[in-house]
Amino acid sequence: MTIDSNNLLDSILKSLERIVYIDPNDLPNIDLYMDQVTTFMDSKLRSTLRYPDEDKVLTKTMINNYAKNDLLPPPVKKKYSKEHILLLIFIYYYKGVLSINDIQTLFAPMTEKYFHGQSEFDLVDIYSEALKIGKKELEELKVDLEHKYQYTGDTFQNAPEEDREFLKKFAFICSLSFDVYVKKLIIEKMIDELAKEKAASDEKKKSEKKKKSET
């Protein structure tokens, strides 16, 4: 993102308009080999990278690590399904905010129940709903950014004149960072609750299974 120091807010809002979404209709209808998966992801998301000429959207090593950490079910005959790609899209956006363990906790119920179309309601439906939420949040984010920019623009009035522009940008970054920090805490707390619920459910199933085996 290139920021025009003379019009920071306008530059940021314009960059938000260029945010890329992978439409569910653009997902491949056939299973793909790993090279094809990385090519597909790169073709759709390269423009979202901070350094598009240097960074990678997805690599073979990343996919293998995600599978090793139970974020992805194993491929079938070395091929990855539409559901695999949907999980990889979620991981792409989550990995900058959440730990691998947190993502695994979040994914476990979805992959267990909805992977490979085990229900009429599947991962495509979940992704489509999440996409709607994301688009709505983006519109509300623009309003919030304008509010934060205006508010922080009034800070550091008594600072040395030569430092005011930098300090106002610093204040804007502080405001955005605190917002991210608080939301991350909330997300982590919710995921911890999901982990506790899963552990309690597993323990109950284990206990019931033991009782049946004893009768």
Side-chain angles (χ1 to χ4, degrees):
M1 179 175 66
T2 302
I3 297 179
D4 179 358
S5 60
N6 295 319
N7 199 341
L8 177 62
L9 180 62
D10 183 60
S11 179
I12 290 173
L13 293 177
K14 285 182 178 178
S15 70
L16 291 179
E17 293 174 1
R18 296 193 295 271
I19 287 181
V20 174
Y21 302 100
I22 298 181
D23 190 279
N25 294 321
D26 292 337
L27 295 169
N29 289 317
I30 58 172
D31 294 347
L32 305 178
Y33 288 108
M34 189 180 285
D35 284 341
Q36 294 172 310
V37 172
T38 57
T39 299
F40 173 80
M41 293 286 284
D42 189 76
S43 69
K44 297 296 182 181
L45 296 173
R46 171 152 293 280
S47 63
T48 67
L49 292 171
R50 185 177 184 181
Y51 303 112
D53 294 331
E54 303 170 21
D55 295 340
K56 300 288 186 181
V57 173
L58 187 66
T59 65
K60 294 179 181 180
T61 301
M62 290 178 189
I63 294 176
N64 288 329
N65 285 337
Y66 298 153
K68 188 168 74 173
N69 285 282
D70 296 325
L71 299 186
L72 285 178
V76 178
K77 296 181 179 179
K78 298 184 178 182
K79 284 189 174 183
Y80 295 82
S81 66
K82 181 184 296 186
E83 288 86 355
H84 281 108
I85 294 175
L86 288 171
L87 292 177
L88 287 169
I89 295 170
F90 278 125
I91 293 170
Y92 178 76
Y93 288 110
Y94 288 161
K95 67 180 182 179
V97 181
L98 301 176
S99 68
I100 292 295
N101 285 340
D102 282 346
I103 298 174
Q104 198 278 333
T105 299
L106 193 58
F107 278 10
M110 291 196 302
T111 54
E112 182 180 339
K113 191 169 184 180
Y114 300 116
F115 197 82
H116 278 325
Q118 297 170 10
S119 166
E120 289 184 6
F121 185 84
D122 58 18
L123 279 177
V124 175
D125 295 307
I126 293 173
Y127 175 79
S128 298
E129 200 68 26
L131 189 60
K132 289 179 188 176
I133 294 170
K135 289 180 177 180
K136 184 176 185 299
E137 283 293 316
L138 185 59
E139 293 307 311
E140 294 179 359
L141 175 63
K142 292 176 183 178
V143 176
D144 184 56
L145 282 172
E146 290 177 1
H147 171 73
K148 284 183 170 63
Y149 185 76
Q150 296 301 327
Y151 170 77
T152 56
D154 292 330
T155 59
F156 294 108
Q157 296 296 324
N158 296 324
E161 185 175 353
E162 66 270 20
D163 296 331
R164 279 181 207 158
E165 281 304 307
F166 163 75
L167 290 171
K168 287 178 181 180
K169 289 179 181 178
F170 174 75
F172 188 41
I173 291 171
C174 284
S175 177
L176 296 173
S177 298
F178 185 72
D179 184 70
V180 172
Y181 169 72
V182 171
K183 288 176 180 176
K184 187 172 184 288
L185 288 180
I186 294 170
I187 292 168
E188 289 172 345
K189 180 175 176 58
M190 292 180 68
I191 290 176
D192 287 343
E193 288 300 315
L194 288 174
K196 289 178 184 177
E197 291 171 6
K198 179 68 164 56
S201 175
D202 289 346
E203 186 62 31
K204 183 179 178 181
K205 290 177 182 177
K206 183 179 178 181
S207 177
E208 290 174 349
K209 185 177 180 180
K210 184 179 179 180
K211 286 179 181 179
K212 287 181 179 180
S213 66
E214 292 174 347
T215 57

